[in-house]
Amino acid sequence: MMELLKKFEETAPEIVFEWKDKELGAEGWMVINSLRGRAAGGGTRMRVGLDRQEVVSLAKTMEIKFTVSGPSIGGAKSGINFDPKDPRKEEVLKRWYRAVMPLLKSYYGTGGDMNVDEIHDVIPITEGYGLWHPQEGIVNGYYQPDEAQKVHKIGKLRLGVSKVIEDAAFTPDVKGKFTIADMITGYGVSESIKHYHDLWDKELAGKKAIIQGWGNVGAATGYYLSQLGVIIVGIIDIRGALINADGFSKEEVEKFFKEGLLNEQLIDFETANKTIWDVPADIFVPCAGSRLVEKSQLERLVKNGLEIISCGANVPFNDKEIFFGETLAYADNQLTVIPDFIANCGMARVFAFLMNGDAEITDVSIFKDASVTIFNALERIRKQHFDSCNITQKALELSVSELMN
């Protein structure tokens, strides 16, 4: 497996598009690892300090993710090195999407990612340049539809991704506040934890969890886990942290989800980052960003009983290797690690589900399809691998073997 993985990591991406914003000095990269299936997909992120190598690693991760979520296309990613808090963010995004528009119309599909919102940023800007949907390039490249088929598939995408969730089983607010795009990734992360416990014959209710990052993914994961009977004992975010060794109630977690971490008990980040890793927990969900989780933090969590990590963030471990460095290897050998390309594949799966264009678009059909996809990926591993450790190694072996062969 390691030889195949090394070969996959070291193979140069098929396309690297580099961009420099003359107006504000922002720089961006669009990396297509391969045009497998005549198309590639991956979202757009923005942060200060982002570089080409980060985008390359994320594009390769997306390629592996598509072996789970479908369709059978190449992995890609867009990344912009710019401060997302700058009020000129929209100007930068507009110039970026204008530059990559020919690819978005031909064979590249994108969406939201860190600090770039699918509904409020990507769709309005790309529509302004005449794109029917940010996934149009995949529809054209992979499916090669006639005009009627294209209209049908893109119509499904437009309806499904922005669909307001109305079923109380999937949202804390049935009054139309949350969309599929807001909730599906966190739902998938939560379902990955649920399915693991079912497949490996373990009890989930009553387990304690720490969530790192309280954006769309982390907050939704925390909300859904709480609904499953998991006790949230810690939430840490750059804005601060909440820690309660006895756990927060479902009502409190729902309030944090709706209103953010606004609480008189909020601990400043610096203080919390020194203490939260010693809070006893069974489950850890890193959702804050790439390469933030340190080995020393994991060692402290393991010492206090950690059993499982489900990766809400892409490439969450602080390793120089793209897929399997020292930190991830330590975690995978010590406990269960559900890799990012399974745990957080919910949005990629929604795109694939909608582009197929056959099923009825309902809350139940979309969420159930994502859940079943994640269950199938874990069941495939379970049939060949009974241990609760080294699950990421096995998952990588299966996916990379498929890609390299």
Side-chain angles (χ1 to χ4, degrees):
M1 188 276 287
M2 294 306 293
E3 280 189 22
L4 274 177
L5 194 59
K6 188 171 187 290
K7 183 178 179 182
F8 182 68
E9 284 190 15
E10 293 179 351
T11 300
E14 194 165 332
I15 298 170
V16 178
F17 177 92
E18 188 166 344
W19 172 78
K20 187 76 173 180
D21 182 32
K22 292 182 179 179
E23 302 280 339
L24 297 173
E27 51 187 354
W29 297 267
M30 190 279 298
V31 175
I32 291 178
N33 188 59
S34 83
L35 282 172
R36 173 179 176 245
R38 303 178 302 273
T44 304
R45 66 169 46 189
M46 177 185 286
R47 72 172 186 86
V48 175
L50 180 144
D51 60 16
R52 179 185 187 275
Q53 185 54 35
E54 180 176 334
V55 186
V56 169
S57 68
L58 292 168
K60 289 184 177 291
T61 299
M62 283 303 304
E63 186 134 342
I64 289 183
K65 185 176 291 186
F66 286 125
T67 67
V68 174
S69 70
S72 300
I73 61 173
K77 206 74 174 180
S78 289
I80 303 169
N81 178 15
F82 190 73
D83 185 355
K85 295 178 183 176
D86 192 300
R88 298 165 297 180
K89 169 187 173 181
E90 184 178 357
E91 300 174 31
V92 171
L93 284 172
K94 283 182 176 179
R95 289 192 288 270
W96 165 259
Y97 285 122
R98 183 174 60 200
V100 299
M101 190 53 55
L103 285 70
L104 286 168
K105 289 189 174 184
S106 303
Y107 51 73
Y108 170 48
T110 195
D113 200 288
M114 182 187 295
N115 300 317
V116 179
D117 187 81
E118 172 89 14
I119 306 299
H120 300 105
D121 296 321
V122 186
I123 290 176
I125 293 173
T126 55
E127 277 188 349
Y129 291 126
L131 200 69
W132 290 1
H133 191 274
Q135 296 287 303
E136 186 175 331
I138 296 175
V139 172
N140 288 331
Y142 179 73
Y143 292 99
Q144 299 190 323
D146 60 31
E147 194 63 23
Q149 291 169 333
K150 178 178 176 179
V151 169
H152 180 66
K153 290 180 184 299
I154 291 180
K156 292 278 189 177
L157 281 165
R158 289 170 66 94
L159 176 62
V161 173
S162 303
K163 184 186 182 305
V164 172
I165 303 170
E166 301 168 297
D167 191 321
F170 305 110
T171 178
D173 187 341
V174 294
K175 296 178 181 178
K177 187 173 181 181
F178 301 107
T179 67
I180 296 294
D182 291 328
M183 304 295 288
I184 195 66
T185 304
Y187 175 79
V189 176
S190 174
E191 287 293 280
S192 75
I193 296 168
K194 174 181 178 289
H195 293 325
Y196 164 77
H197 282 80
D198 289 342
L199 286 164
W200 271 261
D201 298 318
K202 297 175 184 289
E203 180 64 36
L204 177 59
K207 293 290 178 71
K208 296 182 177 182
I210 293 172
I211 313 290
Q212 182 191 42
W214 201 250
N216 267 6
V217 178
T221 302
Y223 166 74
Y224 289 121
L225 284 176
S226 180
Q227 297 297 305
L228 292 171
V230 173
I231 301 166
I232 309 300
V233 295
I235 302 166
I236 184 165
D237 187 86
I238 193 64
R239 294 160 289 189
L242 292 170
I243 299 173
N244 181 346
D246 295 323
F248 297 100
S249 67
K250 285 201 299 186
E251 292 74 21
E252 287 175 308
V253 174
E254 183 172 324
K255 184 178 181 181
F256 300 152
F257 175 83
K258 290 178 177 178
E259 301 177 9
L261 304 181
L262 301 174
N263 190 289
E264 64 275 4
Q265 300 173 23
L266 192 68
I267 306 167
D268 69 273
F269 174 80
E270 296 298 331
T271 300
N273 199 38
K274 295 175 183 176
T275 59
I276 196 168
W277 312 109
D278 298 314
V279 176
D282 308 287
I283 300 165
F284 173 51
V285 188
C287 299
S290 299
R291 306 190 188 283
L292 294 179
V293 180
E294 304 280 351
K295 184 181 177 184
S296 60
Q297 296 166 342
L298 294 179
E299 288 171 338
R300 291 160 67 183
L301 288 170
V302 168
K303 183 179 178 181
N304 284 283
L306 188 67
E307 297 176 355
I308 180 171
I309 299 171
S310 185
C311 300
N314 287 320
V315 197
F317 302 102
N318 187 19
D319 293 320
K320 66 179 187 300
E321 295 84 358
I322 294 175
F323 293 111
F324 206 78
E326 179 186 354
T327 307
L328 173 53
Y330 167 78
D332 202 40
N333 289 330
Q334 293 285 326
L335 51 112
T336 299
V337 180
I338 304 176
D340 48 12
F341 56 89
I342 294 176
N344 71 17
C345 76
M347 195 70 237
R349 181 57 207 168
V350 170
F351 287 142
F353 175 75
L354 296 171
M355 278 187 278
N356 283 335
D358 297 326
E360 183 183 3
I361 297 178
T362 65
D363 296 337
V364 171
S365 66
I366 292 171
F367 280 88
K368 182 179 178 181
D369 177 77
S371 178
V372 168
T373 297
I374 292 167
F375 178 87
N376 289 342
L378 289 171
E379 184 182 42
R380 182 187 180 199
I381 296 166
R382 180 72 170 110
K383 286 178 177 177
Q384 302 182 40
H385 184 82
F386 301 104
D387 195 349
S388 58
C389 297
N390 300 310
I391 285 175
T392 290
Q393 289 186 55
K394 189 62 181 180
L396 282 169
E397 177 188 324
L398 293 170
S399 291
V400 176
S401 296
E402 178 181 327
L403 290 172
M404 297 304 290
N405 292 330

